[in-house]
Amino acid sequence: MIKKRIIVCLDVKDGRTTKGVKFQNNVDIGDPVEMAKEYYRQGVDELVFYDIIASARGRGPILDLISRVASQVFIPFCVGGGIGTIEDIRSTILAGAEKVSLNSQAVKNPDLITQGARIFGNQCIVLGIDVRKDPSKPSGYGTTINGGRVDTGLDALEWAKKGVSLGAGEIVLNSMDADGTKTGYDIELTRMISENVPVPVIASGGGGTPQHLSDVLTKGKADAALIASMVHSGAYTVNGIKEDLNKLGIPVRL
């Protein structure tokens, strides 16, 4: 049986880990290098590092910080934020990342997905999608970029399908409505995308309890659950969450 993955997300702003609710009111919560080291010790399956202001500021990835985080973790490590060229992808991978997450830049230049997948392999290219409920869209969900500040006009389901057809090997699906709320993932959204693309879907936004993860991994058909607030707050540890999921019958790496 394929194991479900638990992934911790570090949102980074000005070199520090930060956390907000629905991408607003962010507060400093620590040093990303030390936090990465601790989550690796706790048994996290993968780590995601997002520079949440790089695209909005029009700059590339912080390679020195990426390299320092990569030196502390020996698990798949994905980096997103400000990656807008093939050279950005190459330098991020050389700094120690196994994967890059393309979000705003993928919408602005879809060919970056295709070129990145051709040069580095589909498994290296993750499509990040920040989604909001939008009744005017066919799927009921729209796509935003630049940390939720810009509505692209794209239907979330159509963009997910297109991103995969262009070469993305995985999708991180972030519900902007649930982000940081700890009230549960958007099950309907996650299931809709999971059922319509042939690549792994990582659910993001809203994880607050192990039951929330169990629900999105089963009812939502996600391949992995991304968490942040529930471990950053100290309310849970990664290994504790995995033990709870194991008791709920979810196959995880213990």
Side-chain angles (χ1 to χ4, degrees):
M1 192 180 285
I2 295 173
K3 306 269 198 233
K4 301 287 189 177
R5 290 171 288 151
I6 307 303
I7 302 171
V8 169
C9 176
L10 301 175
D11 285 335
V12 177
K13 180 181 179 184
D14 298 325
R16 299 282 293 174
T17 307
T18 181
K19 195 71 197 95
V21 176
K22 301 184 182 181
F23 284 40
Q24 294 179 332
N25 305 318
N26 284 66
V27 292
D28 184 314
I29 56 170
D31 172 19
V33 180
E34 288 305 313
M35 292 176 75
K37 192 171 166 182
E38 174 57 21
Y39 293 132
Y40 175 65
R41 189 191 67 74
Q42 287 182 18
V44 74
D45 296 310
E46 295 188 23
L47 197 69
V48 175
F49 171 114
Y50 288 134
D51 186 328
I52 62 169
I53 52 172
S55 286
R57 287 187 179 170
R59 64 157 169 75
I62 312 171
L63 300 174
D64 168 59
L65 186 56
I66 292 164
S67 175
R68 284 164 51 216
V69 171
S71 72
Q72 299 298 325
V73 298
F74 304 95
I75 48 174
F77 174 40
C78 179
V79 172
I83 297 172
T85 66
I86 289 298
E87 196 41 57
D88 287 338
I89 297 175
R90 182 177 285 111
S91 59
T92 300
I93 291 170
L94 288 172
E98 278 79 18
K99 309 177 190 180
V100 295
S101 178
L102 305 177
N103 188 320
S104 305
Q105 302 298 336
V107 171
K108 294 169 187 172
N109 176 20
D111 191 49
L112 186 61
I113 301 172
T114 308
Q115 294 293 333
R118 185 176 58 77
I119 296 167
F120 304 102
N122 302 67
Q123 79 288 346
C124 280
I125 307 299
V126 178
L127 178 63
I129 313 180
D130 290 329
V131 177
R132 270 206 184 97
K133 286 180 181 168
D134 183 347
S136 72
K137 298 289 186 291
S139 71
Y141 293 90
T143 305
T144 69
I145 57 171
N146 288 4
R149 289 182 280 274
V150 178
D151 181 0
T152 65
L154 294 168
D155 178 80
L157 178 57
E158 288 310 307
W159 175 232
K161 288 179 177 173
K162 184 177 179 189
V164 172
S165 73
L166 290 170
E170 194 165 62
I171 289 175
V172 172
L173 184 66
N174 187 37
S175 165
M176 301 284 296
D177 303 298
D179 181 80
T181 62
K182 297 189 274 188
T183 55
Y185 297 88
D186 188 326
I187 305 293
E188 185 185 343
L189 167 68
T190 309
R191 184 172 59 241
M192 175 181 69
I193 303 293
S194 296
E195 287 178 342
N196 282 282
V197 296
V199 300
V201 172
I202 300 165
S204 171
T209 68
Q211 186 62 55
H212 291 155
L213 276 75
S214 174
D215 289 343
V216 83
L217 293 168
T218 53
K219 298 174 192 166
K221 299 190 177 178
D223 296 87
L226 189 141
I227 55 175
S229 302
M230 63 188 292
V231 284
H232 294 342
S233 66
Y236 294 93
T237 62
V238 175
N239 41 8
I241 292 167
K242 285 186 169 187
E243 283 167 9
D244 287 343
L245 289 173
N246 187 50
K247 286 175 193 161
L248 291 166
I250 308 293
V252 289
R253 288 186 192 87
L254 290 169

mmCIF file of all heavy atoms in Angstrom, residues 86-113:
data_model
loop_
_atom_site.group_PDB
_atom_site.id
_atom_site.type_symbol
_atom_site.label_atom_id
_atom_site.label_comp_id
_atom_site.label_asym_id
_atom_site.label_seq_id
_atom_site.Cartn_x
_atom_site.Cartn_y
_atom_site.Cartn_z
ATOM 1 N N ILE A 86 14.618 29.251 -16.118
ATOM 2 C CA ILE A 86 15.304 27.950 -16.055
ATOM 3 C C ILE A 86 16.546 28.069 -15.179
ATOM 4 O O ILE A 86 16.885 27.165 -14.422
ATOM 5 C CB ILE A 86 15.667 27.461 -17.481
ATOM 6 C CG1 ILE A 86 14.393 27.042 -18.227
ATOM 7 C CG2 ILE A 86 16.655 26.294 -17.429
ATOM 8 C CD1 ILE A 86 13.611 25.890 -17.624
ATOM 9 N N GLU A 87 17.233 29.213 -15.273
ATOM 10 C CA GLU A 87 18.431 29.414 -14.448
ATOM 11 C C GLU A 87 18.075 29.430 -12.961
ATOM 12 O O GLU A 87 18.828 28.903 -12.136
ATOM 13 C CB GLU A 87 19.125 30.727 -14.848
ATOM 14 C CG GLU A 87 20.557 30.840 -14.350
ATOM 15 C CD GLU A 87 21.369 29.553 -14.470
ATOM 16 O OE1 GLU A 87 21.503 28.999 -15.579
ATOM 17 O OE2 GLU A 87 21.869 29.086 -13.428
ATOM 18 N N ASP A 88 16.920 30.011 -12.610
ATOM 19 C CA ASP A 88 16.452 29.996 -11.214
ATOM 20 C C ASP A 88 16.226 28.548 -10.750
ATOM 21 O O ASP A 88 16.566 28.182 -9.624
ATOM 22 C CB ASP A 88 15.140 30.766 -11.049
ATOM 23 C CG ASP A 88 15.309 32.275 -11.132
ATOM 24 O OD1 ASP A 88 16.431 32.760 -10.906
ATOM 25 O OD2 ASP A 88 14.305 32.960 -11.423
ATOM 26 N N ILE A 89 15.608 27.742 -11.616
ATOM 27 C CA ILE A 89 15.359 26.330 -11.265
ATOM 28 C C ILE A 89 16.690 25.617 -11.050
ATOM 29 O O ILE A 89 16.889 24.929 -10.043
ATOM 30 C CB ILE A 89 14.541 25.605 -12.367
ATOM 31 C CG1 ILE A 89 13.156 26.236 -12.516
ATOM 32 C CG2 ILE A 89 14.420 24.107 -12.035
ATOM 33 C CD1 ILE A 89 12.325 25.663 -13.653
ATOM 34 N N ARG A 90 17.612 25.813 -11.991
ATOM 35 C CA ARG A 90 18.917 25.148 -11.904
ATOM 36 C C ARG A 90 19.652 25.550 -10.617
ATOM 37 O O ARG A 90 20.153 24.695 -9.886
ATOM 38 C CB ARG A 90 19.767 25.494 -13.129
ATOM 39 C CG ARG A 90 21.138 24.807 -13.134
ATOM 40 C CD ARG A 90 21.934 25.109 -14.394
ATOM 41 N NE ARG A 90 21.428 24.374 -15.546
ATOM 42 C CZ ARG A 90 20.799 24.923 -16.590
ATOM 43 N NH1 ARG A 90 20.593 26.228 -16.638
ATOM 44 N NH2 ARG A 90 20.374 24.188 -17.590
ATOM 45 N N SER A 91 19.696 26.838 -10.320
ATOM 46 C CA SER A 91 20.448 27.305 -9.145
ATOM 47 C C SER A 91 19.792 26.838 -7.845
ATOM 48 O O SER A 91 20.475 26.540 -6.872
ATOM 49 C CB SER A 91 20.602 28.826 -9.166
ATOM 50 O OG SER A 91 19.347 29.462 -9.184
ATOM 51 N N THR A 92 18.454 26.722 -7.839
ATOM 52 C CA THR A 92 17.746 26.247 -6.644
ATOM 53 C C THR A 92 18.053 24.774 -6.395
ATOM 54 O O THR A 92 18.291 24.352 -5.254
ATOM 55 C CB THR A 92 16.223 26.474 -6.799
ATOM 56 O OG1 THR A 92 15.985 27.872 -6.981
ATOM 57 C CG2 THR A 92 15.461 25.989 -5.582
ATOM 58 N N ILE A 93 18.060 23.974 -7.462
ATOM 59 C CA ILE A 93 18.394 22.551 -7.335
ATOM 60 C C ILE A 93 19.863 22.388 -6.913
ATOM 61 O O ILE A 93 20.185 21.577 -6.045
ATOM 62 C CB ILE A 93 18.067 21.803 -8.648
ATOM 63 C CG1 ILE A 93 16.542 21.745 -8.841
ATOM 64 C CG2 ILE A 93 18.656 20.390 -8.644
ATOM 65 C CD1 ILE A 93 16.088 21.249 -10.193
ATOM 66 N N LEU A 94 20.728 23.188 -7.497
ATOM 67 C CA LEU A 94 22.148 23.117 -7.122
ATOM 68 C C LEU A 94 22.369 23.547 -5.667
ATOM 69 O O LEU A 94 23.309 23.094 -5.011
ATOM 70 C CB LEU A 94 22.996 23.989 -8.059
ATOM 71 C CG LEU A 94 23.172 23.446 -9.479
ATOM 72 C CD1 LEU A 94 23.857 24.463 -10.369
ATOM 73 C CD2 LEU A 94 23.963 22.131 -9.473
ATOM 74 N N ALA A 95 21.470 24.393 -5.143
ATOM 75 C CA ALA A 95 21.579 24.825 -3.738
ATOM 76 C C ALA A 95 21.103 23.745 -2.774
ATOM 77 O O ALA A 95 21.288 23.871 -1.564
ATOM 78 C CB ALA A 95 20.780 26.110 -3.526
ATOM 79 N N GLY A 96 20.479 22.670 -3.327
ATOM 80 C CA GLY A 96 20.106 21.549 -2.463
ATOM 81 C C GLY A 96 18.663 21.110 -2.503
ATOM 82 O O GLY A 96 18.276 20.159 -1.834
ATOM 83 N N ALA A 97 17.818 21.793 -3.300
ATOM 84 C CA ALA A 97 16.409 21.384 -3.409
ATOM 85 C C ALA A 97 16.266 20.219 -4.388
ATOM 86 O O ALA A 97 16.984 20.154 -5.377
ATOM 87 C CB ALA A 97 15.563 22.556 -3.883
ATOM 88 N N GLU A 98 15.341 19.300 -4.063
ATOM 89 C CA GLU A 98 15.023 18.208 -5.008
ATOM 90 C C GLU A 98 13.937 18.631 -5.985
ATOM 91 O O GLU A 98 13.836 18.092 -7.082
ATOM 92 C CB GLU A 98 14.536 16.954 -4.262
ATOM 93 C CG GLU A 98 15.631 16.078 -3.711
ATOM 94 C CD GLU A 98 16.212 16.623 -2.418
ATOM 95 O OE1 GLU A 98 15.585 17.466 -1.752
ATOM 96 O OE2 GLU A 98 17.318 16.208 -2.076
ATOM 97 N N LYS A 99 13.084 19.566 -5.551
ATOM 98 C CA LYS A 99 11.950 19.998 -6.374
ATOM 99 C C LYS A 99 11.814 21.508 -6.289
ATOM 100 O O LYS A 99 12.228 22.119 -5.300
ATOM 101 C CB LYS A 99 10.629 19.396 -5.860
ATOM 102 C CG LYS A 99 10.604 17.896 -5.644
ATOM 103 C CD LYS A 99 9.246 17.495 -5.056
ATOM 104 C CE LYS A 99 9.218 16.064 -4.578
ATOM 105 N NZ LYS A 99 7.912 15.693 -4.010
ATOM 106 N N VAL A 100 11.189 22.094 -7.318
ATOM 107 C CA VAL A 100 10.829 23.506 -7.252
ATOM 108 C C VAL A 100 9.320 23.632 -7.428
ATOM 109 O O VAL A 100 8.711 22.877 -8.193
ATOM 110 C CB VAL A 100 11.546 24.365 -8.319
ATOM 111 C CG1 VAL A 100 13.047 24.379 -8.075
ATOM 112 C CG2 VAL A 100 11.228 23.897 -9.726
ATOM 113 N N SER A 101 8.732 24.568 -6.708
ATOM 114 C CA SER A 101 7.302 24.836 -6.829
ATOM 115 C C SER A 101 7.118 26.101 -7.653
ATOM 116 O O SER A 101 7.644 27.159 -7.309
ATOM 117 C CB SER A 101 6.680 25.016 -5.438
ATOM 118 O OG SER A 101 5.305 25.331 -5.567
ATOM 119 N N LEU A 102 6.396 25.972 -8.759
ATOM 120 C CA LEU A 102 6.103 27.109 -9.630
ATOM 121 C C LEU A 102 4.640 27.481 -9.422
ATOM 122 O O LEU A 102 3.759 26.647 -9.554
ATOM 123 C CB LEU A 102 6.343 26.742 -11.099
ATOM 124 C CG LEU A 102 7.732 26.194 -11.434
ATOM 125 C CD1 LEU A 102 7.804 25.809 -12.908
ATOM 126 C CD2 LEU A 102 8.825 27.200 -11.086
ATOM 127 N N ASN A 103 4.395 28.748 -9.093
ATOM 128 C CA ASN A 103 3.038 29.183 -8.788
ATOM 129 C C ASN A 103 2.715 30.418 -9.630
ATOM 130 O O ASN A 103 2.244 30.302 -10.752
ATOM 131 C CB ASN A 103 2.939 29.453 -7.283
ATOM 132 C CG ASN A 103 1.530 29.726 -6.807
ATOM 133 O OD1 ASN A 103 0.760 30.404 -7.471
ATOM 134 N ND2 ASN A 103 1.187 29.204 -5.645
ATOM 135 N N SER A 104 3.013 31.597 -9.117
ATOM 136 C CA SER A 104 2.756 32.832 -9.873
ATOM 137 C C SER A 104 3.480 32.824 -11.212
ATOM 138 O O SER A 104 2.912 33.190 -12.251
ATOM 139 C CB SER A 104 3.210 34.051 -9.069
ATOM 140 O OG SER A 104 2.603 34.077 -7.803
ATOM 141 N N GLN A 105 4.750 32.384 -11.195
ATOM 142 C CA GLN A 105 5.555 32.419 -12.422
ATOM 143 C C GLN A 105 5.029 31.440 -13.475
ATOM 144 O O GLN A 105 5.168 31.675 -14.675
ATOM 145 C CB GLN A 105 7.023 32.125 -12.099
ATOM 146 C CG GLN A 105 7.659 33.076 -11.105
ATOM 147 C CD GLN A 105 7.700 34.524 -11.583
ATOM 148 O OE1 GLN A 105 7.665 34.787 -12.781
ATOM 149 N NE2 GLN A 105 7.767 35.452 -10.651
ATOM 150 N N ALA A 106 4.406 30.343 -13.022
ATOM 151 C CA ALA A 106 3.852 29.363 -13.970
ATOM 152 C C ALA A 106 2.654 29.950 -14.713
ATOM 153 O O ALA A 106 2.459 29.694 -15.904
ATOM 154 C CB ALA A 106 3.445 28.091 -13.234
ATOM 155 N N VAL A 107 1.855 30.750 -14.002
ATOM 156 C CA VAL A 107 0.703 31.397 -14.643
ATOM 157 C C VAL A 107 1.190 32.437 -15.655
ATOM 158 O O VAL A 107 0.684 32.531 -16.772
ATOM 159 C CB VAL A 107 -0.217 32.064 -13.587
ATOM 160 C CG1 VAL A 107 -1.299 32.918 -14.258
ATOM 161 C CG2 VAL A 107 -0.864 30.996 -12.700
ATOM 162 N N LYS A 108 2.219 33.210 -15.258
ATOM 163 C CA LYS A 108 2.735 34.268 -16.131
ATOM 164 C C LYS A 108 3.482 33.711 -17.335
ATOM 165 O O LYS A 108 3.488 34.312 -18.410
ATOM 166 C CB LYS A 108 3.668 35.184 -15.326
ATOM 167 C CG LYS A 108 2.947 35.981 -14.235
ATOM 168 C CD LYS A 108 3.944 36.656 -13.295
ATOM 169 C CE LYS A 108 3.225 37.306 -12.118
ATOM 170 N NZ LYS A 108 4.152 37.811 -11.094
ATOM 171 N N ASN A 109 4.120 32.530 -17.149
ATOM 172 C CA ASN A 109 4.915 31.936 -18.228
ATOM 173 C C ASN A 109 4.778 30.405 -18.183
ATOM 174 O O ASN A 109 5.663 29.714 -17.688
ATOM 175 C CB ASN A 109 6.385 32.353 -18.068
ATOM 176 C CG ASN A 109 7.287 31.687 -19.101
ATOM 177 O OD1 ASN A 109 6.820 31.213 -20.146
ATOM 178 N ND2 ASN A 109 8.577 31.630 -18.814
ATOM 179 N N PRO A 110 3.649 29.876 -18.699
ATOM 180 C CA PRO A 110 3.397 28.433 -18.628
ATOM 181 C C PRO A 110 4.495 27.574 -19.261
ATOM 182 O O PRO A 110 4.707 26.424 -18.861
ATOM 183 C CB PRO A 110 2.067 28.248 -19.365
ATOM 184 C CG PRO A 110 1.409 29.592 -19.290
ATOM 185 C CD PRO A 110 2.521 30.593 -19.325
ATOM 186 N N ASP A 111 5.222 28.161 -20.231
ATOM 187 C CA ASP A 111 6.296 27.414 -20.890
ATOM 188 C C ASP A 111 7.410 27.034 -19.907
ATOM 189 O O ASP A 111 8.172 26.097 -20.151
ATOM 190 C CB ASP A 111 6.877 28.253 -22.041
ATOM 191 C CG ASP A 111 7.802 27.426 -22.931
ATOM 192 O OD1 ASP A 111 7.397 26.324 -23.343
ATOM 193 O OD2 ASP A 111 8.939 27.874 -23.179
ATOM 194 N N LEU A 112 7.487 27.754 -18.781
ATOM 195 C CA LEU A 112 8.493 27.436 -17.760
ATOM 196 C C LEU A 112 8.275 26.018 -17.205
ATOM 197 O O LEU A 112 9.239 25.311 -16.903
ATOM 198 C CB LEU A 112 8.424 28.469 -16.628
ATOM 199 C CG LEU A 112 9.487 28.387 -15.539
ATOM 200 C CD1 LEU A 112 10.888 28.589 -16.103
ATOM 201 C CD2 LEU A 112 9.203 29.435 -14.448
ATOM 202 N N ILE A 113 7.004 25.615 -17.102
ATOM 203 C CA ILE A 113 6.688 24.248 -16.640
ATOM 204 C C ILE A 113 7.254 23.234 -17.630
ATOM 205 O O ILE A 113 7.950 22.284 -17.254
ATOM 206 C CB ILE A 113 5.158 24.034 -16.503
ATOM 207 C CG1 ILE A 113 4.539 25.032 -15.524
ATOM 208 C CG2 ILE A 113 4.848 22.593 -16.073
ATOM 209 C CD1 ILE A 113 3.010 24.988 -15.494
#
